[in-house]
Amino acid sequence: MAELPIPDVPPARCSGRFTISTLLGMEEAGRGPYTPTEGSSCDSAQPTQLSSSTLYTRTFGYNTVDVVPAYEHYANSKGVGNPRKGRPSLADLHSILKPDPSRLHTPVSDVQHSNGLPEAGPEAGLEEAEGEPGRDSEPEPVRFGWVKGVMIRCMLNIWGVILYLRLPWITAQAGIALTWLIILMSVTVTTITGLSISAISTNGKVKSGGTYFLISRSLGPELGGSIGLIFAFANAVAVAMHTVGFAETVRDLLQEHNSLIVDPTNDIRIIGVITVTVLLGISLAGMEWEAKAQILFFLVILVSFINYLVGTVIPATAEKQAKGFFSYRADIFAQNFVPNWRGPEGSFFGLFSIFFPSATGILAGANISGDLKDPAMAIPKGTLMAIFWTTMSYLVLSATIGACVVRDASGSLNDSVAVGSPGCEGLACSFGWNFTACAQQQSCRYGLSNYYQSMSMVSGFGPLITAGIFGATLSSALACLVSAPKVFQCLCKDQLYPLIGFFGKGYGRNSEPIRGYMLTYVIAVGFILIAELNAIAPIISNFFLCSYALINFSCFHASITNSPGWRPSFRYYSKWAALFGAAVSVVIMFLLTWWAALIAFGIVIFLLGYVLYKKPDVNWGSSMQASSYNMALNYSVGLSEVDEHIKNYRPQCLVLTGPPNFRPALVDFVGTFTKNLSLMLCGNVLIGPRKQKMPESWLMADGHTKWLMKRKIKAFYTDVVAEDLRSGVQMLIQAAGLGKMRPNILVLGYKRNWRTASPQSLEDYVGILHDAFDFKYGVCVMRMKEGLNVSRVLQAHVNLTFEAAEHPENGTGSRAAPGTAADPTTLASEQQASTIFQSKQGKKTIDIYWLFDDGGLTLLIPYLLGRKKRWGKCKIRVFVGGQINRMDEERKAIVSLLSKFRLGFHEVHILPDINQKPRPEQLNDGFKDEATVNEMRQGCPWKISDEEVDKNRAKSLRQVRLNEILRDYSRDAALIAITPPIGRKGRCPSSLYMAWLETLSQDLRPPIILTRGNQENVLTFYCQ
């Protein structure tokens, strides 16, 4: 497409109407996306050193703060030596632009990579963000493709001594048909696991850590950490197992030639230690040398296979015929096609448990994920190809050897007879050999059922099979020796467990875990010196199966949660097949060795419990988080379909805490009775201009949530920005909550400074109480003698975060000091203030003054408090008003009512003297006529007239009398809960209502809770 001509016009200004010519002019005169001019209020700007071609590629040919999509905007890594690039923030795009001197020049790297894409693929020139600075002079680390890095490595780890020494024997026992079934059943499990690995490894960038990395980033640190630890240990012990297998073969060769070093047992130890030391040297030389050694082993095994296949077509000599080999014969194939069970292990599942470990080893490629060029491509392709080719090798070997060798042979050349000789039984008779005697006595030394070295006997050159055994054992040992430190290094870096961080350090260009290699070497040598691995081998197999089960479950769980982040580029997997694979892996664990399976599960559960207890501060976006969201969403939606019932009533509290750390007593009180029971929302009203307060809201919300979590309060935090306190609380009351999980009680602190506060703040406070009743909320006002707000104490000991709240004792709004907002980490780590609600109350009393029937809320909250351990020893007393001449009848009626509620309140007191006259209190400001009062009220709304005092005199005197009763009866109580009066809206002045609350609750040592329900039942004595 031809470019539009760019006319030579002066730089466009933001004033006036945009035209085509001005837009085209801006392309030539534009600047970089982060360099606006002084005072400009739109996206156009002055020219810079950038060429127009750069602007065309970065911004479609016109200058704007917006940038085109780029790899760097989504990557967690950055180019070596280059500054980190990022997309503009929403404020850069949405708010008025301000000049930034640091952005006057676009880096050269922006010009070079102006299309936003890396030069040579996503890994080119990138290193991990945690890498050390100044590393641009270091050579490029060694990276492997899918053949050398995954396929060959997995094939070598899958092939083992079982292939050479046990598969012919399994074929003799189970027959070719059932042997194929055993192979295909084993491969089904490993193939499903391979598909699951492929899906997980293509769902995002895979780093080093292999199996541990895949499971931990999918299921979270709890399961990932436990599997990572035991998987690394299992690989370390597997080094010893494979090395001992090699050492036993060498020992047998020495024994055949009467050349033992010391004795059979110590020879295994000596050869094993020397071998594992040589393997360690290869590993320490670097991944490149280790890969070369693996290719050498691979070639040796291939040569041994070819040697075996060539041997099957070579005509059998007399010696080989005496040992049961007769080349390919249809009748031998037919006889060996069906099973012939022998011995204690002669059962299908017995042979399956023997063969299955030879199908494992598919994780060898994934375990070095950090050393692969493109793990997302290499792991699926290499793992599945390795499974395919090893499966073919197993099937071909069992079919060919089953068609060539009979089950029983004596090995004696004297057993040759003429074909059709009488008294000769068995298939060998038709080939001129009589093995009847040894077959009947079960003393045959040769044949598939008796001779483990059948492959060596059949092959063209026997020593090559021995070389293949050496290659299979040493390659598996070397793969495990590399896998264990790589997995363990990633686990150490994540710091999920104590005392292992020392082993996480990497050296060299590949960040080799030298310390991990040495630890693996020590573990392997220790188990080699034991030289008795039969007991530990089943546990190791179960550890690997645990990994398979969790990998499959990871794939299933990530799929079933429907998380938008689950987008694997590998599509050929099924979540139900993955679930089947996980279940089958667990079943196989118990089929192999049930006691080893129990031990493996016990260790996993112990390590899982430790991580759950420690709760590491990591966030990997695991499927467990997605599952938690799904469950919460489904249950919340389902809850909306359930009709409310009094039996299921829960006090769901909107607590006006302001910043929660300012009023810890209020938070602790509500958190005590709502914990694991009901909803608690800490609300904060940020008073001021929205533009100024929104950044503070974003910054501090996370810090307040962390503060609540550190205090072990199960609550949510939410804030709103409003012009004044009352409108902010109205927003919270109407909008807080979700579905049926919405607050029904407003909890706030008592306003101690109501006498000296501004008239508007007093009206707002009482208006908030009226608003709560209007929205059918219950109300709970808390007053403590020492007050609730500890913000001044915090400011004296901690860095200033907030100015003193404008309403210091109402538990609501806050005004932030400009430029003093603390970061969330500082807020969460500040010293926690202790309150009375955190300590045990002992054998005190909780006194409930249920003066008015509000639906039962005044009773319910103290009852819930008394169920908690810290308040469990407190005796609950209930006080109700009554008449002196009917005290017994009224007490019996209340006791009967409480017993029907099943609250367990047995101590009931009737107060017959509530209406006695106390000492008169003057509540008004002298005697003034109505006109003077109205004039004063305009400026001082809290002033009240004599007429209003006289109208409410009885109610006012009752508060004075109630305060006297509270001081008489509840002087030593742990808590007082009382039903407060309600001021009629529009009739009762705010100052008079606050005077009632002040008079009622003044001069009391214990905390007092003024609780008023919304006049709807919260208690019932019916069961339906």
Side-chain angles (χ1 to χ4, degrees):
M1 181 184 292
E3 292 185 1
L4 292 173
I6 304 175
D8 187 12
V9 295
R13 301 295 179 185
C14 291
S15 57
R17 181 182 296 112
F18 278 103
T19 63
I20 295 296
S21 60
T22 58
L23 288 174
L24 293 176
M26 280 190 284
E27 292 178 2
E28 186 68 29
R31 299 192 309 171
Y34 287 90
T35 53
T37 57
E38 178 76 40
S40 65
S41 59
C42 70
D43 292 350
S44 61
Q46 298 296 324
T48 66
Q49 300 173 357
L50 286 178
S51 65
S52 61
S53 62
T54 300
L55 285 174
Y56 269 107
T57 54
R58 287 271 299 165
T59 61
F60 300 115
Y62 66 91
N63 188 15
T64 175
V65 178
D66 257 334
V67 295
V68 297
Y71 173 86
E72 294 90 336
H73 302 161
Y74 298 89
N76 290 326
S77 50
K78 57 185 178 181
V80 180
N82 291 340
R84 176 71 180 269
K85 290 200 310 182
R87 69 174 66 83
S89 68
L90 191 59
D92 291 334
L93 299 174
H94 186 246
S95 304
I96 296 178
L97 292 174
K98 296 179 181 179
D100 186 350
S102 65
R103 294 175 174 174
L104 288 178
H105 299 287
T106 304
V108 178
S109 60
D110 284 1
V111 179
Q112 295 172 346
H113 303 285
S114 57
N115 61 350
L117 296 174
E119 287 181 335
E123 296 292 330
L126 297 178
E127 71 175 17
E128 301 306 320
E130 63 264 19
E132 297 175 6
R135 296 177 61 182
D136 23 0
S137 61
E138 290 190 2
E140 188 72 16
V142 178
R143 295 285 186 254
F144 302 114
W146 70 273
V147 176
K148 187 191 291 187
V150 182
M151 188 185 79
I152 291 179
R153 191 175 298 272
C154 286
M155 290 178 71
L156 289 171
N157 211 26
I158 293 171
W159 283 329
V161 292
I162 292 178
L163 169 68
Y164 291 96
L165 302 182
R166 291 293 184 271
L167 189 56
W169 174 78
I170 292 173
T171 304
Q173 289 268 359
I176 296 173
L178 291 184
T179 300
W180 277 36
L181 181 60
I182 289 173
I183 293 171
L184 294 176
M185 284 176 60
S186 303
V187 170
T188 299
V189 177
T190 55
T191 303
I192 291 173
T193 308
L195 295 175
S196 298
I197 293 173
S198 303
I200 297 172
S201 62
T202 58
N203 188 53
K205 184 178 178 181
V206 177
K207 300 181 181 179
S208 61
T211 305
Y212 160 70
F213 184 88
L214 295 176
I215 296 178
S216 62
R217 270 51 176 183
S218 296
L219 288 179
E222 297 83 8
L223 281 171
S226 57
I227 283 297
L229 199 58
I230 67 170
F231 187 76
F233 176 76
N235 272 282
V237 179
V239 175
M241 290 178 57
H242 295 301
T243 305
V244 167
F246 168 78
E248 285 180 348
T249 308
V250 176
R251 189 269 318 268
D252 292 342
L253 288 175
L254 293 175
Q255 212 164 9
E256 284 181 14
H257 297 84
N258 296 318
S259 303
L260 287 177
I261 304 172
V262 182
D263 58 68
T265 302
N266 284 318
D267 279 12
I268 292 176
R269 292 169 178 160
I270 294 169
I271 297 168
V273 171
I274 294 173
T275 303
V276 81
T277 305
V278 173
L279 294 177
L280 175 67
I282 295 174
S283 301
L284 293 178
M287 288 297 296
E288 199 167 5
W289 284 96
E290 188 267 349
K292 291 177 181 177
Q294 293 285 32
I295 291 177
L296 176 62
F297 293 141
F298 183 71
L299 293 176
V300 169
I301 294 176
L302 284 184
V303 170
S304 72
F305 276 168
I306 295 171
N307 171 53
Y308 160 75
L309 292 174
V310 169
T312 60
V313 296
I314 295 176
T317 62
E319 290 183 357
K320 288 188 176 183
Q321 287 184 358
K323 295 179 181 180
F325 172 61
F326 297 99
S327 293
Y328 291 105
R329 300 295 177 95
D331 44 1
I332 295 178
F333 182 86
Q335 186 186 57
N336 289 337
F337 192 78
V338 294
N340 181 18
W341 309 113
R342 298 183 187 182
E345 295 171 334
S347 66
F348 181 82
F349 286 108
L351 296 178
F352 177 81
S353 64
I354 291 173
F355 174 79
F356 182 79
S358 68
T360 60
I362 62 172
L363 300 178
N367 286 336
I368 63 161
S369 54
D371 298 300
L372 301 175
K373 291 179 182 177
D374 184 4
M377 185 277 289
I379 292 176
K381 196 171 181 180
T383 303
L384 295 176
M385 288 299 290
I387 294 173
F388 173 76
W389 288 118
T390 53
T391 303
M392 294 302 298
S393 68
Y394 285 145
L395 295 175
V396 168
L397 193 149
S398 65
T400 53
I401 205 163
C404 295
V405 185
V406 295
R407 285 191 169 105
D408 293 301
S410 64
S412 173
L413 293 174
N414 296 327
D415 288 338
S416 60
V417 295
V419 177
S421 298
C424 182
E425 299 179 3
L427 188 60
C429 297
S430 59
F431 307 134
W433 293 88
N434 185 3
F435 302 138
T436 307
C438 73
Q440 290 177 349
Q441 297 172 7
Q442 295 185 353
S443 60
C444 295
R445 296 178 53 197
Y446 294 93
L448 283 184
S449 296
N450 310 294
Y451 188 47
Y452 289 155
Q453 301 284 353
S454 294
M455 273 190 70
S456 179
M457 180 263 294
V458 170
S459 65
F461 184 61
L464 283 179
I465 299 298
T466 304
I469 295 174
F470 288 172
T473 52
L474 292 178
S475 63
S476 297
L478 186 57
C480 293
L481 183 59
V482 171
S483 296
K486 295 282 186 181
V487 172
F488 193 58
Q489 182 185 35
C490 184
L491 179 64
C492 294
K493 286 182 177 180
D494 288 337
Q495 299 181 344
L496 300 183
Y497 297 101
L499 308 177
I500 62 173
F502 172 79
F503 299 99
K505 182 173 175 59
Y507 296 87
R509 57 183 181 176
N510 273 57
S511 188
E512 294 289 350
I514 305 297
R515 297 172 180 175
Y517 281 130
M518 299 309 298
L519 179 63
T520 305
Y521 174 76
V522 170
I523 294 173
V525 168
F527 279 96
I528 288 171
L529 294 178
I530 294 173
E532 184 59 50
L533 294 176
N534 289 338
I536 200 74
I539 300 178
I540 303 306
S541 298
N542 277 285
F543 282 168
F544 286 118
L545 278 168
C546 269
S547 305
Y548 290 178
L550 281 178
I551 286 174
N552 285 309
F553 183 73
S554 300
C555 181
F556 166 75
H557 197 264
S559 303
I560 205 71
T561 54
N562 292 322
S563 172
W566 175 249
R567 302 185 303 275
S569 55
F570 183 85
R571 300 290 183 183
Y572 306 104
Y573 73 96
S574 166
K575 59 185 176 184
W576 301 115
L579 180 62
F580 173 76
V584 170
S585 298
V586 174
V587 171
I588 294 174
M589 288 176 66
F590 285 92
L591 284 178
L592 293 180
T593 319
W594 65 267
W595 57 265
L598 292 178
I599 291 175
F601 275 115
I603 295 174
V604 170
I605 291 172
F606 173 78
L607 296 173
L608 170 67
Y610 176 83
V611 179
L612 284 172
Y613 173 75
K614 295 297 289 183
K615 293 182 180 176
D617 187 18
V618 294
N619 183 9
W620 295 325
S622 67
S623 61
M624 288 298 182
Q625 295 173 330
S627 177
S628 298
Y629 177 86
N630 274 7
M631 290 174 63
L633 181 63
N634 291 335
Y635 282 128
S636 298
V637 173
L639 196 62
S640 300
E641 302 172 0
V642 178
D643 293 333
E644 293 180 352
H645 194 283
I646 302 172
K647 284 170 61 179
N648 293 322
Y649 174 86
R650 294 169 187 259
Q652 304 188 109
C653 300
L654 171 60
V655 191
L656 300 184
T657 59
N661 59 323
F662 278 14
R663 296 171 180 84
L666 192 63
V667 171
D668 290 339
F669 164 66
V670 181
T672 300
F673 70 82
T674 59
K675 186 175 183 179
N676 299 326
L677 177 80
S678 59
L679 176 70
M680 175 180 174
L681 265 171
C682 293
N684 183 18
V685 179
L686 298 172
I687 303 170
R690 184 180 63 179
K691 190 177 297 184
Q692 176 187 343
K693 292 297 178 180
M694 285 306 295
E696 176 191 329
S697 171
W698 299 332
L699 177 66
M700 300 309 299
D702 188 48
H704 291 313
T705 301
K706 289 181 177 178
W707 183 89
L708 291 168
M709 293 170 61
K710 184 178 179 182
R711 204 172 179 86
K712 297 183 179 179
I713 299 294
K714 295 189 175 182
F716 298 97
Y717 169 82
T718 185
D719 54 32
V720 294
V721 177
E723 296 298 327
D724 59 79
L725 174 66
R726 186 175 182 183
S727 61
V729 175
Q730 288 174 344
M731 295 179 197
L732 286 173
I733 290 176
Q734 295 179 81
L738 179 69
K740 293 290 178 69
M741 295 183 65
R742 301 179 65 86
N744 49 30
I745 300 174
L746 182 70
V747 184
L748 66 166
Y750 177 72
K751 188 173 179 64
R752 297 174 69 197
N753 66 337
W754 66 275
R755 292 189 184 91
T756 58
S758 65
Q760 187 58 45
S761 69
L762 177 60
E763 292 295 322
D764 282 350
Y765 182 80
V766 177
I768 287 170
L769 302 181
H770 289 309
D771 293 337
F773 289 130
D774 287 341
F775 289 108
K776 292 190 175 182
Y777 272 56
V779 170
C780 183
V781 180
M782 182 177 180
R783 181 174 187 179
M784 295 180 67
K785 187 174 183 180
E786 62 274 16
L788 295 173
N789 195 319
V790 299
S791 58
R792 290 189 176 88
V793 178
L794 289 177
Q795 289 167 9
H797 295 89
V798 187
N799 291 335
L800 180 63
T801 302
F802 292 98
E803 288 182 352
E806 183 191 16
H807 310 282
E809 288 305 330
N810 61 15
T812 49
S814 63
R815 292 183 182 273
T820 60
D823 64 281
T825 306
T826 304
L827 182 61
S829 61
E830 73 177 23
Q831 186 177 359
Q832 297 275 347
S834 60
T835 67
I836 186 176
F837 297 100
Q838 291 180 312
S839 57
K840 292 185 178 180
Q841 300 303 312
K843 296 183 178 180
K844 298 181 181 178
T845 62
I846 299 176
D847 291 348
I848 303 172
Y849 289 83
W850 195 25
L851 304 179
F852 310 104
D853 190 352
D854 61 345
L857 187 63
T858 308
L859 295 173
L860 183 60
I861 290 178
Y863 165 73
L864 295 175
L865 204 63
R867 288 168 49 175
K868 302 300 179 180
K869 188 175 181 180
R870 291 171 182 162
W871 297 79
K873 293 184 179 180
C874 291
K875 182 170 63 174
I876 299 180
R877 303 188 299 180
V878 180
F879 297 84
V880 295
Q883 299 178 9
I884 194 169
N885 57 348
R886 301 182 63 233
M887 286 180 58
D888 289 341
E889 296 175 11
E890 291 179 347
R891 184 181 181 281
K892 288 179 182 178
I894 295 296
V895 169
S896 175
L897 180 61
L898 294 178
S899 67
K900 287 184 171 64
F901 286 148
R902 306 174 305 283
L903 296 172
F905 301 164
H906 303 297
E907 187 171 343
V908 177
H909 299 268
I910 304 298
L911 303 174
D913 51 354
I914 291 180
N915 294 320
Q916 289 184 4
K917 290 187 178 181
R919 182 172 58 85
E921 296 288 341
Q922 188 70 26
L923 300 177
N924 65 323
D925 192 26
F927 294 96
K928 297 180 176 62
D929 56 30
E930 191 67 28
T932 307
V933 169
N934 288 334
E935 183 180 348
M936 293 175 62
R937 179 172 288 164
Q938 293 180 2
C940 307
W942 66 91
K943 300 290 184 180
I944 54 178
S945 66
D946 293 323
E947 181 182 356
E948 289 169 333
V949 171
D950 290 337
K951 193 182 300 181
N952 296 283
R953 180 174 296 274
K955 207 168 186 178
S956 302
L957 295 178
R958 187 182 302 123
Q959 311 314 313
V960 180
R961 175 58 188 155
L962 282 173
N963 181 256
E964 293 177 356
I965 293 173
L966 293 178
R967 282 185 287 174
D968 289 341
Y969 287 95
S970 302
R971 185 182 299 109
D972 299 321
L975 180 74
I976 301 172
I978 187 170
T979 313
I982 292 182
R984 193 172 294 278
K985 186 169 60 174
R987 296 300 182 99
C988 179
S990 300
S991 53
L992 179 60
Y993 184 68
M994 289 304 299
W996 288 347
L997 299 184
E998 174 74 26
T999 304
L1000 177 63
S1001 59
Q1002 67 185 354
D1003 301 329
L1004 294 171
R1005 185 198 61 79
I1008 181 168
I1009 311 299
L1010 305 169
T1011 307
R1012 188 79 195 211
N1014 62 358
Q1015 301 304 111
E1016 294 183 2
N1017 290 349
V1018 301
L1019 297 173
T1020 181
F1021 41 76
Y1022 294 109
C1023 62
Q1024 63 177 10

